[in-house]
Amino acid sequence: ENGYDLWLRYKKIEDPTYLNLYRKSIAGIHINAISPTLLVAKKELEMGLSGLLGAPIKEVGAQTDNALIAGTPSSSPVIKSFLEKEKIKTGQEGFAIYSQTINNKKLILIAAETDLGVLYGVFHFLKLLQSHQSIQSLSTISIPKIQRRILNHWDNLNRSVERGYAGISIWNWHTLPDYIDKRYIDYARANASIGINGTVLTNVNASSLVLTDPYLEKVKALADVFRPYGIRVYLTAKFSAPVEIGRLKTADPLNPEVIEWWKHLCDKIYKMIPDFGGFLIKANSEGQPGPQGYGRTHADGANMFADILAPHGGIVMWRAFVYDARVQRRGEHFEEGKKDVAGESIASADRFKQAYLEFKPLDGKFKENVLIQVKNGPIDFQPREPFSPLFGAMPNTQLMAEFQITQEYLGQATHLVYQAPLYKECLDADTYAYGRGSTVAKITDGSLKKHKISAIAGVANIGNDINWTGHLFGQANWYAFGRLAWDHTLSSETIAEEWIRQTFGNNPKVLQPIQQIMMASREAAVNYMTPLGLHHIMGTGHHYGPAPWVENAGRADWNPVYYHKADKKGLGFDRTATGSDALSQYAPEVRKQWENMKTCNIEYILWFHHVPWNYTLSTGRSLWDELCFRYYSGADTVKWMQDIWTTVKAYIDEERYNHVRQLLNIQHKEAKWWRNACLLYFQTFSELPIPSHYEAPDKTLEYYKSLRFPHAPGINGNL
Ligand SMILES: CO[C@H]1[C@H](O)[C@@H](O)[C@H](O)O[C@@H]1C(=O)O
């Protein structure tokens, strides 16, 4: 058991009660596989049922008692009359699973208006069996809330993966297009099983090379593999491609030759890949070229692509992750009250504010097939961030949320951190932008402003490691992203339960402890890394361990000291009106709550306030004592996770048990490393003792500062 099968494990059901019940209820399957998608649906059902029921599944006629019939109105008359009779609409991708008695025959119907809906229904049905659910009186309708549910791969053409910790890229550009690795198919199956319907193959720190003919052939080969599974391929477009590979003198988005060049390229792409999804573009950010280089705006740039893609049905995902201009130009730290040459407050140099400052004024200027892709938080995928103030700030623009599945700032592929609670915290956050209940989820799914296109992105944690994600529990984050993209109202607990049942089985002695571990893991990581709203205090470059002391990295806003602002008085970044005033970017309801130290959620307090060391927090403890408490409890929780993990030993296979056990050992060591290093460092400012009932750090601050990580994986590949 090495984890390769992910959650698609179709081992024979061990519990005889369920096995017999399922065998009795499913006499055989009936699918009229008139399309490639229905064919893969049929194959999956055959493989799944044969495995789970422990015997090859028969094909039966549609009139057979206990037949399982899957199809669309065009593939099956039974399905057609069922959907008509029940007046069920499943839309482009939804499905219905119903128990029906027709002509005295008991049937299970997997019905959808589209082939893809059938495939999704098949995966759902197999999940019911994998997780020992009743299939006696089924009546489920499931329709995704967000249209485009997309993975972003930060994969480079040399197969290194930026911020990837699970080996190298699964895209083998060397043997493509002629060699189709089985992994590509299993990748498509896995994604389809959780409803992911798009993949951006290449890094946002882009290479133009992927837009040249030989690479487009390779992309086409992947698109052909993915098509039956409902997965569209997208690419990243490097803004300077017309210059780099087109030999033009400029990439100015308003230049007719440039427009013509992109148009020609897109015509070519769509000839090869008729369902090509579109482009994801990182422009004028972290050294990437963009329209601003030609005196144009993000809107000018995005709209050029939008006009070209629109006739083909393609979209532009234009990233709002920008922080270049101001801070880099000045290289200055934010200082209270200081003005720059133009008389503008340097406060605006707060990196937190930059995406909003650049994009908000462009609201309403983007074409209909442009989506602005906004990271969940204002800075960068921290263990905990408040939601980005852009959500809700651009009513006339379709925004899409971007989450990071790969754990760049969360212990990478070494720490067990279940991220569904992190994703949910953002999705459920109320922006108050259009009144109470204007959650990030409702902004993303387009329901609040009735936008035509909706999308959501997750930065993949997938590589060529045997188990795909490095840490086995990284699979749960991939799974959770897909499930939430389909239905953001699902709870983290439910998703964890689904994943555990499919991955480890249904024994409550496995399910309960693993679910407890997962549910505690994210808060534990926040506590041992960045409690109370601390952020970006990881080592510069690799972002792995603690390095709150770093103050001379390339740019001011790459330095941990820029973010925590520890001094003799206290700790934290004042983003109220007396500080950078970033809070003014939120709706008044949100701002009011967070600008007051008394009402600000303690989880975010150091995001918004410079809190005195002896200030009494809502817990009754002083800031310093609370900081100690959280760092210690974070590390203790990992110890607890280790203990709980030992209880599942008898019930799961040795290989996966030991894999997780060993990684938890490392995680516990490193949680203590984080705790000790950070507390010793912050103590140089607070000058207060670590309460004596805690185990004292066994190393000095100097020791932690001297640690170097030449082996740190996944370092930014392009910069
Ligand atoms: C792809 O580049 C990444 C960069 O490696 C990463 O450290 C930061 O999180 O964000 C960038 C981005 O999202 O563009």
Side-chain angles (χ1 to χ4, degrees), residues 415 528-530 536-540 542-550 560 631 669-679 681-682 701 703-709:
H415 294 199
Y528 66 71
M529 289 181 178
T530 53
H536 219 303
I537 58 174
M538 297 75 187
T540 315
H542 53 72
H543 296 161
Y544 192 69
W549 45 80
V550 172
Y631 270 113
K669 266 197 236 165
E670 296 188 342
K672 289 192 286 188
W673 166 35
W674 266 97
R675 177 193 77 194
N676 293 350
C678 291
L679 285 178
Y681 170 73
F682 290 131
L701 177 59
Y703 167 81
Y704 292 115
K705 281 187 174 177
S706 73
L707 293 177
R708 291 286 173 270
F709 288 87

Side-chain angles (χ1 to χ4, degrees), residues 154 162-163 203-205 282 285-286 288 319 321 323 351 375 379-381 402 404 408-409 459 536 541 543 714-717 719:
W154 287 355
E162 183 155 344
R163 310 307 181 183
N203 192 351
V204 286
N205 289 330
K282 170 175 177 178
S285 169
E286 296 188 327
Q288 291 300 302
R319 291 178 93 227
F321 178 69
Y323 64 89
R351 173 168 152 186
K375 285 188 182 180
I379 298 289
D380 194 10
F381 299 138
E402 174 180 326
Q404 198 179 42
E408 174 177 355
Y409 295 95
V459 179
H536 219 303
H543 296 161
I715 294 192
N716 195 316
L719 299 179

Side-chain angles (χ1 to χ4, degrees), residues 509-528:
K509 294 198 164 123
V510 172
L511 174 61
Q512 277 156 20
I514 298 183
Q515 196 179 18
Q516 283 174 4
I517 289 176
M518 288 170 76
M519 290 310 297
S521 62
R522 188 276 184 130
E523 208 55 42
V526 169
N527 283 337
Y528 66 71

Side-chain angles (χ1 to χ4, degrees), residues 361-611:
L362 299 174
D363 184 30
K365 301 228 159 71
F366 293 97
K367 297 282 164 90
E368 212 175 55
N369 56 334
V370 175
L371 293 106
I372 301 301
Q373 183 167 317
V374 183
K375 285 188 182 180
N376 60 290
I379 298 289
D380 194 10
F381 299 138
Q382 294 304 297
R384 169 164 279 128
E385 296 201 32
F387 66 90
S388 162
L390 268 177
F391 291 111
M394 298 180 69
N396 304 305
T397 308
Q398 182 55 53
L399 303 187
M400 60 185 283
E402 174 180 326
F403 293 98
Q404 198 179 42
I405 309 171
T406 192
Q407 295 168 224
E408 174 177 355
Y409 295 95
L410 280 164
Q412 302 177 0
T414 310
H415 294 199
L416 191 167
V417 182
Y418 174 52
Q419 291 191 75
L422 186 162
Y423 306 155
K424 284 289 283 183
E425 198 169 292
C426 173
L427 290 165
D428 292 347
D430 198 340
T431 69
Y432 286 89
Y434 320 118
R436 205 193 181 86
S438 308
T439 61
V440 172
K442 287 190 194 160
I443 288 163
T444 301
D445 72 18
S447 59
L448 279 176
K449 287 280 153 187
K450 304 276 174 281
H451 288 291
K452 284 216 178 111
I453 309 174
S454 59
I456 187 165
V459 179
N461 60 349
I462 297 162
N464 75 339
D465 273 8
I466 287 182
N467 69 13
W468 301 81
T469 52
H471 200 304
L472 187 80
F473 277 74
Q475 297 179 359
N477 293 329
W478 176 7
Y479 185 89
F481 170 75
R483 296 292 289 130
L484 286 171
W486 183 278
D487 181 0
H488 52 67
T489 67
L490 290 169
S491 73
S492 305
E493 288 87 346
T494 303
I495 297 170
E497 175 170 346
E498 284 184 12
W499 180 79
I500 299 163
R501 285 180 183 274
Q502 294 173 86
T503 305
F504 289 110
N506 297 283
N507 186 341
K509 294 198 164 123
V510 172
L511 174 61
Q512 277 156 20
I514 298 183
Q515 196 179 18
Q516 283 174 4
I517 289 176
M518 288 170 76
M519 290 310 297
S521 62
R522 188 276 184 130
E523 208 55 42
V526 169
N527 283 337
Y528 66 71
M529 289 181 178
T530 53
L532 297 172
L534 285 170
H535 49 284
H536 219 303
I537 58 174
M538 297 75 187
T540 315
H542 53 72
H543 296 161
Y544 192 69
W549 45 80
V550 172
E551 53 189 355
N552 54 8
R555 304 167 43 113
D557 50 1
W558 285 350
N559 285 307
V561 297
Y562 171 94
Y563 295 100
H564 65 65
K565 305 210 185 297
D567 59 18
K568 297 281 174 223
K569 263 171 46 200
L571 181 64
F573 199 135
D574 181 4
R575 291 190 165 103
T576 69
T578 58
S580 81
D581 203 23
L583 274 167
S584 65
Q585 297 183 337
Y586 289 100
E589 291 85 345
V590 178
R591 174 171 53 74
K592 277 201 198 100
Q593 188 186 343
W594 288 347
E595 76 186 355
N596 181 339
M597 254 199 256
K598 292 215 161 53
T599 54
C600 181
N601 312 43
I602 191 167
E603 283 76 19
Y604 298 134
I605 198 157
L606 301 179
W607 270 100
F608 297 116
H609 298 275
H610 192 68
V611 182

Side-chain angles (χ1 to χ4, degrees), residues 145-372:
K145 294 196 164 43
I146 296 173
Q147 294 162 8
R148 303 211 184 201
R149 306 171 296 278
I150 303 176
L151 285 185
N152 288 184
H153 287 264
W154 287 355
D155 294 18
N156 298 311
L157 298 182
N158 65 5
R159 297 190 74 183
S160 64
V161 180
E162 183 155 344
R163 310 307 181 183
Y165 314 101
I168 58 172
S169 171
I170 58 174
W171 318 133
N172 189 335
W173 300 107
H174 179 64
T175 53
L176 279 166
D178 300 312
Y179 184 80
I180 300 301
D181 192 326
K182 179 165 181 291
R183 270 216 185 229
Y184 306 151
I185 299 163
D186 290 333
Y187 168 87
R189 288 177 51 232
N191 280 322
S193 77
I194 51 176
I196 285 169
N197 65 5
T199 176
V200 183
L201 300 175
T202 46
N203 192 351
V204 286
N205 289 330
S207 161
S208 321
L209 217 56
V210 76
L211 305 175
T212 60
D213 293 354
Y215 276 94
L216 290 177
E217 288 295 341
K218 299 168 196 284
V219 172
K220 172 189 164 20
L222 288 172
D224 289 343
V225 173
F226 299 160
R227 187 166 299 111
Y229 295 90
I231 297 165
R232 286 173 191 240
V233 157
Y234 299 75
L235 290 174
T236 46
K238 188 161 187 182
F239 204 80
S240 50
V243 177
E244 287 180 22
I245 57 169
R247 302 201 187 151
L248 298 188
K249 295 235 158 37
T250 174
D252 180 349
L254 301 190
N255 177 302
E257 270 186 283
V258 172
I259 299 172
E260 196 44 43
W261 186 85
W262 283 110
K263 195 171 165 311
H264 178 77
L265 176 79
C266 287
D267 288 343
K268 183 160 65 186
I269 294 177
Y270 277 95
K271 271 210 190 89
M272 301 168 76
I273 309 167
D275 56 351
F276 180 70
F279 291 125
L280 167 64
I281 299 164
K282 170 175 177 178
N284 295 115
S285 169
E286 296 188 327
Q288 291 300 302
Q292 292 173 350
Y294 302 93
R296 314 295 184 193
T297 68
H298 286 293
D300 295 329
N303 290 342
M304 173 197 66
F305 288 102
D307 285 339
I308 294 171
L309 290 165
H312 302 286
I315 62 166
V316 182
M317 295 167 285
W318 193 269
R319 291 178 93 227
F321 178 69
V322 294
Y323 64 89
D324 262 3
R326 312 185 62 93
V327 178
Q328 194 168 39
R329 203 165 50 230
R330 300 203 190 84
E332 272 174 307
H333 290 243
F334 158 72
E335 279 172 51
E336 267 176 45
K338 203 166 157 191
K339 305 268 181 192
D340 74 4
V341 271
E344 200 177 337
S345 168
I346 296 229
S348 58
D350 181 0
R351 173 168 152 186
F352 186 117
K353 299 171 67 176
Q354 302 223 347
Y356 180 103
L357 288 175
E358 274 189 46
F359 279 88
K360 163 101 179 146
L362 299 174
D363 184 30
K365 301 228 159 71
F366 293 97
K367 297 282 164 90
E368 212 175 55
N369 56 334
V370 175
L371 293 106
I372 301 301

